[in-house]
Amino acid sequence: MSQVVQAKCPHCHSVLRIPADWVAKAMRCKHCKQTFQAKAAPATVAKPSTPVPVAQPAKAMPIPVGKPAKAAAPPTDHTPFGFDVDEPEPPSSTPAAPRSRGTSAGTWLLLFMFFLLFLGGGGAAGYVVYRAFTDPPTRDGKQLAKNDTKGENAPAKKSGPDNGIDKKKPASVDEKEKKNPPDTPITPMDPPKDDPPPKKKKDLPKKKPNDEVKKEEPKKPVFSDGAFPRRALLINVNNYLFYDTVHYGSDYKSVSADYPGSSTAVLRDKLMKPPMNFPATQIYELSDGIPPGKPTKSHSTHKSVLEATITDFLETSRKQDRVLVFFSGHAASIEEKSYLVPPDSNIKQVDSLIPLKWVYDQLAACKAQQKILILDVFRFSPSRGIEVASTGEGEDGAMPEGFDKDVLNPPAGVQVWCACQKEQSSVELEAGGAFMQAFCRSLQGSELKGIADPNQPIPIDLLVENVNKYLKDIVAPTKRTQVSRLTGKPATEMAAYDREEPLASLISLKPPQIAGGNAATAAQVDSILDFFRDLPTVRESRAADRALLDGRKLRGFSAQTLDTYKADADLAATRKRFLANKDAYAKDFPLRAAVFEAVDAMKESEKMRLSETQGNPITVPRKTAVLKEQAMLGEYIFKLYQAHEAFKEVDTPENREKETSRRWQANFDYTMARVQSRLIYLYEYNYVLGRIRADDMPELAMGQDGWRMAVGKKISVPDRKAKDLAKGAKTVWEKIVKAYPDTPWSLFAMREREISLGLKWTPKSN
């Protein structure tokens, strides 16, 4: 075998074994395929008997520029040199850039080794954490078996098939600690401590086999599968006749994903859940504004109903009960006396109100050990203003000082939680009352933690604190101040919880009672209200007043009185006869025909949409559009005025004698007043709309983006016809009140005469 020398490729630096007789010839590296020529040492060729040391390889140099020298035929591929056979050598004028392969392979190998180390370390750490949380606790270095509180002679808990210990391996550190337990055992949850100095065995105290460490356990709440002694009466008065309606409230998550709700229905649901734990059968909701489809149906909140319900609820309460009475609605202070206002009451008639002192007396006489009265009164909507009338003081209907004084002085053992204080209003938002929204949020599970004990009182102090915290944020955008307040002290004498005592007797809601006889049925009242439902509204923004047209929600009417207003035919059938032959029908029933003609004229005027808002800025195209609206509005006013004049021509003694039905006589008078009110509104609206073209609008402040038509105390239109109509409408309303007493016509006429039809532009906020 010929002698070989070792050399490095000048391109890839790979070590090559080259035949000694090839040193002076051109050759190609089998690794990078680059051509080079080895250069022999200046001395002589290495001796045949002594191979060239690996540490001192011969230097190799690239082939100089020019034609490469032809190399001798290389050996076959199975030779130790591994050159390719018959592969042409690529010509090259300059040496090619070297490629490094050994470095890349080494880097990948190093990364792989680090990865293995990382996996091994992570697995070891995970095993330690796993053992720390899964091994049973120890006492004096010994493991405690499950359900073994003494820890004596208890076998270690198995963590695997071999109990986590290899029997063939020497004893681990844990086993050594078991044989020589330290003075202070360390559990997985204990912080690390310094090891104490070793003690002699004779110094160690001797323990008896049954010795155990005594620890004070925290007191646990009393769990009971019996009903908690708690009751609630939730009163929500909404449909006021002579004052602004009160918003019933909205459902949970009806406004947004985190909206807590603001209705008594939501409040009832939250009171039933822990930690309040009110029994479902001991919560009563009484409201005339409950929307359709709810489990609890709306019911009359007439004065007689409120008084009977409050009395029955408090009288049936037991000594161990904790009761809550909630009232949402209007209140008043008259001559230094405070009152709650039922929906059909008038503060000018004190007998129609419920004295706050009467409520106090009922609570004081109640046997329950905890008595709470919650008053969400003097409600006011900043966006609507006062549309009908207010029971409070000032433009915001704030709480008077006289009412505030009575709230501060409840009887002994009674606590009163009021939604606002003197010179404040209970703010009403678009989705319901702000106080109710804060109250419902404070009852969510995350706000009141823990499981209540049947002996624990209702946490009223904590509720007040949480409600005020949320209330501040809720009313902040309205730039108003509202702070709820708790007054009075709870009773000092407590009654122990007795699960064996039956729950308080159930109460039932009673129908309204009328002096001198029973009330008319809801069906009897609804047959009259069919006529009111067919009448167009005076103002589109008051369309919510239609909620009042429900026989179950209105105050009780005498059945004997309404019998004198029986219908001789169904309203739809009567209109059908009129449409079949209007002229012939008008000769026989002139008043009825005039009513149908006027109703159709009012419905015609409703075809034009009357917007009561105006954005900023007011552009020239907008002024042009306003001019067109005024022209169209003028046509509707003319047609409706013609119907009004026809009404006046029909209103003669002869025609009234022809109409023998008391119901249609009342319908005729009410329609006359409604047509006049609608005309006044259209005149006023047209006049106020014209101020847009005249640039006669109030100035806007920072944060205000336009204007809204609000209620004005008097009409501002200078037109003489409008002023005469306004005077005539009041006269007709008064006539209806006196001519048809104790009827729906009289009731709604009293409401309509209190409503101002004046309009004015006011700035609005975005």
Side-chain angles (χ1 to χ4, degrees):
M1 181 177 181
S2 61
Q3 296 182 353
V4 296
V5 295
Q6 289 185 347
K8 284 187 178 181
C9 174
H11 302 291
C12 66
H13 302 286
S14 300
V15 178
L16 304 174
R17 299 177 66 194
I18 307 173
D21 53 347
W22 285 21
V23 171
K25 299 179 181 180
M27 61 194 73
R28 185 174 59 183
C29 176
K30 68 175 183 178
H31 298 289
C32 64
K33 309 302 181 182
Q34 298 295 324
T35 304
F36 65 92
Q37 182 176 2
K39 184 177 181 181
T44 59
V45 180
K47 295 180 182 182
S49 59
T50 307
V52 178
V54 178
Q56 296 180 0
K59 294 182 179 180
M61 299 204 43
I63 298 176
V65 179
K67 294 182 179 180
K70 294 183 179 180
T76 58
D77 196 40
H78 58 271
T79 63
F81 312 112
F83 292 125
D84 295 329
V85 180
D86 300 333
E87 182 176 352
E89 299 164 358
S92 177
S93 60
T94 58
R99 292 190 305 172
S100 176
R101 296 184 57 175
T103 304
S104 175
T107 302
W108 283 108
L109 179 60
L110 184 61
L111 291 175
F112 180 73
M113 293 176 64
F114 274 114
F115 178 73
L116 291 179
L117 290 174
F118 174 78
L119 288 180
Y127 178 77
V128 172
V129 174
Y130 169 78
R131 290 299 302 270
F133 284 95
T134 57
D135 280 359
T138 62
R139 179 179 294 130
D140 296 336
K142 297 182 179 181
Q143 289 182 331
L144 298 181
K146 187 176 181 181
N147 298 328
D148 182 7
T149 58
K150 295 182 179 181
E152 297 295 335
N153 303 322
K157 182 180 178 180
K158 293 184 179 182
S159 58
D162 296 322
N163 299 338
I165 300 176
D166 189 351
K167 297 180 181 179
K168 297 181 180 180
K169 295 182 180 180
S172 62
V173 177
D174 291 340
E175 289 178 305
K176 292 179 181 179
E177 288 182 358
K178 291 179 182 180
K179 296 179 181 179
N180 301 296
D183 292 337
T184 306
I186 300 177
T187 63
M189 299 305 293
D190 290 333
K193 299 180 180 180
D194 294 334
D195 294 332
K199 295 182 180 181
K200 297 180 181 180
K201 293 184 178 181
K202 62 180 181 180
D203 296 331
L204 294 175
K206 296 181 180 180
K207 292 185 178 181
K208 296 180 180 180
N210 295 328
D211 282 350
E212 61 181 61
V213 180
K214 294 183 179 181
K215 296 182 180 180
E216 294 184 1
E217 296 183 357
K219 294 182 179 180
K220 297 181 179 180
V222 178
F223 293 88
S224 174
D225 56 357
F228 279 47
R230 299 178 180 181
R231 310 184 78 203
L233 173 60
L234 311 178
I235 300 174
N236 195 348
V237 184
N238 309 115
N239 298 310
Y240 281 90
L241 287 170
F242 311 127
Y243 307 100
D244 288 347
T245 57
V246 173
H247 202 303
Y248 171 76
S250 300
D251 291 338
Y252 176 62
K253 292 187 177 182
S254 59
V255 178
S256 61
D258 60 346
Y259 187 72
S262 57
S263 68
T264 42
V266 176
L267 180 59
R268 172 177 180 161
D269 180 65
K270 292 184 181 296
L271 288 177
M272 289 189 293
K273 298 178 180 178
M276 300 305 288
N277 295 315
F278 280 69
T281 58
Q282 296 297 308
I283 305 178
Y284 302 91
E285 181 184 10
L286 172 59
S287 174
D288 57 0
I290 300 176
K294 298 293 182 181
T296 304
K297 304 302 180 183
S298 60
H299 192 278
S300 171
T301 53
H302 182 260
K303 177 185 177 181
S304 63
V305 177
L306 295 179
E307 290 178 337
T309 305
I310 293 174
T311 301
D312 293 345
F313 176 78
L314 295 176
E315 286 184 350
T316 55
S317 297
R318 306 168 301 171
K319 187 175 182 180
Q320 66 169 315
D321 284 331
R322 303 178 185 277
V323 301
L324 184 154
V325 178
F326 177 90
F327 178 86
S328 175
H330 290 306
S333 179
I334 304 171
E335 297 180 355
E336 301 300 322
K337 293 183 180 180
S338 300
Y339 300 90
L340 302 182
V341 181
D344 55 346
S345 297
N346 192 329
I347 60 175
K348 297 178 181 179
Q349 301 172 354
V350 178
D351 293 340
S352 66
L353 309 175
I354 299 178
L356 182 60
K357 185 180 182 303
W358 177 86
V359 180
Y360 280 174
D361 292 341
Q362 304 305 310
L363 285 165
C366 178
K367 296 181 296 184
Q369 61 176 325
Q370 185 180 13
K371 295 167 281 191
I372 302 171
L373 174 64
I374 304 178
L375 299 174
D376 186 10
V377 291
F378 297 101
R379 296 280 287 264
F380 172 73
S381 172
S383 62
R384 292 185 306 166
I386 299 175
E387 294 183 338
V388 184
S390 172
T391 60
E393 291 183 341
E395 296 181 355
D396 298 346
M399 178 187 290
E401 184 177 0
F403 195 94
D404 189 68
K405 288 181 179 179
D406 289 338
V407 170
L408 290 171
N409 295 283
V414 177
Q415 293 179 284
V416 179
W417 183 13
C418 198
C420 59
Q421 304 179 30
K422 179 180 64 175
E423 298 179 353
Q424 295 179 2
S425 303
S426 184
V427 176
E428 186 172 291
L429 305 174
E430 296 299 324
F435 174 79
M436 280 293 291
Q437 181 180 338
F439 192 9
C440 291
R441 182 174 294 279
S442 68
L443 290 173
Q444 293 183 170
S446 59
E447 299 299 331
L448 297 174
K449 299 180 180 179
I451 301 176
D453 186 312
N455 289 298
Q456 291 178 342
I458 299 172
I460 188 66
D461 295 299
L462 180 59
L463 288 172
V464 174
E465 179 182 351
N466 289 342
V467 165
N468 282 334
K469 178 178 65 175
Y470 293 120
L471 193 58
K472 181 179 179 181
D473 296 334
I474 294 173
V475 302
T478 66
K479 298 180 180 180
R480 297 176 181 277
T481 301
Q482 181 182 349
V483 181
S484 69
R485 180 182 59 192
L486 180 66
T487 58
K489 296 181 180 180
T492 56
E493 183 180 355
M494 295 289 103
Y497 169 62
D498 182 7
R499 59 175 296 175
E500 302 300 331
E501 183 181 7
L503 291 176
S505 302
L506 301 180
I507 65 172
S508 58
L509 302 180
K510 297 178 174 59
Q513 298 296 318
I514 303 300
N518 293 327
T521 63
Q524 194 174 0
V525 177
D526 279 330
S527 67
I528 296 176
L529 295 181
D530 286 340
F531 163 75
F532 291 88
R533 297 186 187 103
D534 191 52
L535 282 177
T537 60
V538 173
R539 184 179 174 186
E540 282 77 357
S541 60
R542 286 179 49 203
D545 289 355
R546 291 191 177 277
L548 298 172
L549 305 178
D550 189 337
R552 298 168 300 171
K553 301 175 183 178
L554 294 178
R555 75 178 186 185
F557 300 100
S558 170
Q560 184 177 1
T561 301
L562 294 191
D563 282 342
T564 62
Y565 293 87
K566 285 185 177 180
D568 51 10
D570 180 73
L571 180 63
T574 304
R575 173 177 276 276
K576 188 175 181 180
R577 286 183 58 192
F578 163 73
L579 294 175
N581 193 335
K582 293 183 179 181
D583 293 337
Y585 190 85
K587 291 181 179 179
D588 297 333
F589 304 97
L591 298 188
R592 301 186 191 190
V595 168
F596 289 132
E597 292 285 3
V599 170
D600 292 342
M602 284 191 288
K603 289 181 178 180
E604 183 73 16
S605 69
E606 282 188 321
K607 293 181 179 179
M608 181 178 178
R609 181 178 177 273
L610 305 179
S611 175
E612 295 188 355
T613 60
Q614 172 60 49
N616 185 51
I618 299 175
T619 62
V620 174
R622 173 54 182 155
K623 292 182 179 180
T624 303
V626 167
L627 183 60
K628 293 181 179 179
E629 290 177 20
Q630 287 184 294
M632 187 181 302
L633 191 58
E635 295 180 5
Y636 287 120
I637 292 175
F638 175 77
K639 293 180 180 179
L640 190 57
Y641 190 82
Q642 292 290 91
H644 173 261
E645 293 300 306
F647 232 95
K648 291 172 63 176
E649 294 178 1
V650 174
D651 189 12
T652 62
E654 294 79 7
N655 289 335
R656 282 190 174 270
E657 288 180 1
K658 284 185 178 181
E659 185 56 71
T660 58
S661 170
R662 287 281 289 164
R663 173 176 292 203
W664 277 103
Q665 291 175 6
N667 287 345
F668 180 83
D669 291 336
Y670 197 91
T671 304
M672 168 74 78
R674 177 61 66 88
V675 169
Q676 291 179 341
S677 296
R678 177 67 177 174
L679 271 172
I680 296 167
Y681 170 72
L682 294 179
Y683 273 116
E684 182 77 353
Y685 179 88
N686 197 19
Y687 177 76
V688 174
L689 190 66
R691 294 191 174 184
I692 297 177
R693 297 173 50 231
D695 292 325
D696 185 15
M697 305 289 282
E699 293 184 3
L700 299 180
M702 183 68 67
Q704 296 174 333
D705 62 346
W707 300 266
R708 179 186 300 277
M709 284 188 187
V711 177
K713 294 182 179 180
K714 296 181 180 180
I715 63 172
S716 55
V717 58
D719 192 287
R720 175 53 57 185
K721 290 182 179 179
K723 291 185 177 296
D724 292 341
L725 286 170
K727 293 179 181 178
K730 284 189 174 292
T731 302
V732 177
W733 291 130
E734 291 288 350
K735 176 184 176 181
I736 295 173
V737 171
K738 295 178 181 179
Y740 312 103
D742 193 28
T743 65
W745 295 277
S746 174
L747 193 65
F748 288 116
M750 286 189 286
R751 173 180 171 83
E752 292 291 339
R753 72 180 180 185
E754 300 295 332
I755 299 176
S756 174
L757 297 176
L759 299 174
K760 63 179 180 180
W761 286 113
T762 58
K764 71 179 184 70
S765 301
N766 55 18

